[in-house]
Amino acid sequence: MRFPLLVLHILGGTIGLLGGTFAIAVRKGGRLHRASGNVFTIAMLTLASSGLCLAILKSQHGNIIGSIVTFYMITTAWLAGRRRKLDRYDWAALLVGLGGAAAVITLGVQTLHHPDKNAPAGMCFFFGVVLLLAASGDIRMLTRGGIAGRQRITRHLWRMCFGLFIATGSFFLGQQQVFPAFLRGSIFLTVLAVLPFPLMIYWLFRVRFSKAYKVQPPPTPIPATP
């Protein structure tokens, strides 16, 4: 049972890292970006689903948290990338975000009194804050009837990048035994693990100051001449 899940988990993670890196590198909004983004999404959802099953089987609370956060962030990012109207999936995502935040913060409080090496309190609170921020964005979107332009791209961008960070952090920091001994614990692996954050900041600035992402007002109708 565990071995097929482990193989699926490794394949999902490998394809996710490659697909996410390619999606960041190519021109945004183009065919290659959309294709690589879809591959990244499928791979990351596979990674999260298989990781959740493995974490439950091994009673690894930290990996359960990471899997739920990854699934939520990637799903809502992909939905934001599509030009679509709000539907029941957005309300379901909000419930997952709020429920996940409550569960993660509760686990963090518990680990303050009963330390768990698989789910340190600092990590729990960090993910809890991220989930609360994401859920607040869900609430704003739902109460406004949707988002467009820069807000939609920003929502898509930061959630995808955070999902990629979970993958890079889990691999370059959590699986250092697969690297040569001279690289283990090095700053090089740390830089690779946190690389999605500076890339995210770069693209957020591009979106913020580029006219291409502004919501264009509808054209003023020209009155018909008699």
Side-chain angles (χ1 to χ4, degrees):
M1 179 65 178
R2 292 186 181 181
F3 182 73
L5 286 172
L6 181 61
V7 173
L8 192 63
H9 187 70
I10 293 173
L11 287 175
T14 302
I15 297 174
L17 286 172
L18 295 175
T21 302
F22 193 80
I24 289 179
V26 298
R27 183 175 66 88
K28 303 300 173 285
R31 182 183 300 176
L32 288 177
H33 176 74
R34 292 194 298 269
S36 57
N38 288 333
V39 170
F40 173 70
T41 298
I42 295 172
M44 291 299 294
L45 295 183
T46 301
L47 173 74
S49 301
S50 57
L52 178 61
C53 294
L54 288 169
I56 293 174
L57 291 174
K58 297 179 181 181
S59 298
Q60 296 176 335
H61 296 151
N63 289 336
I64 291 175
I65 293 170
S67 299
I68 294 174
V69 174
T70 302
F71 200 96
Y72 164 75
M73 297 296 284
I74 295 297
T75 301
T76 54
W78 181 78
L79 290 174
R82 300 174 61 196
R83 299 187 179 184
R84 44 181 288 283
K85 296 181 179 180
L86 300 179
D87 54 33
R88 62 183 181 274
Y89 297 112
D90 297 291
W91 290 99
L94 172 61
L95 295 178
V96 171
L98 292 175
V104 170
I105 292 174
T106 300
L107 179 60
V109 173
Q110 291 178 350
T111 54
L112 289 176
H113 304 285
H114 306 284
D116 184 350
K117 65 179 182 179
N118 292 318
M123 182 191 73
C124 293
F125 292 133
F126 172 68
F127 279 121
V129 170
V130 171
L131 283 172
L132 287 176
L133 290 174
S136 67
D138 294 344
I139 294 173
R140 288 195 301 271
M141 180 185 69
L142 291 168
T143 55
R144 295 175 180 176
I147 52 176
R150 287 184 178 134
Q151 291 180 332
R152 183 180 69 86
I153 299 300
T154 298
R155 176 182 172 88
H156 170 75
L157 178 63
W158 87 266
R159 293 174 187 240
M160 280 294 190
C161 286
F162 193 86
L164 180 60
F165 160 69
I166 294 177
T168 56
S170 299
F171 179 63
F172 292 113
L173 297 182
Q175 302 296 328
Q176 296 197 29
Q177 70 275 9
V178 304
F179 295 97
F182 71 91
L183 283 177
R184 297 170 191 171
S186 66
I187 189 64
F188 178 72
L189 294 181
T190 302
V191 169
L192 291 177
V194 302
L195 187 59
F197 282 131
L199 291 175
M200 177 183 70
I201 294 172
Y202 167 77
W203 281 109
L204 286 176
F205 271 96
R206 284 285 303 271
V207 170
R208 175 65 181 83
F209 296 106
S210 174
K211 295 181 179 180
Y213 300 103
K214 290 184 66 176
V215 179
Q216 299 296 329
T220 304
I222 301 175
T225 58

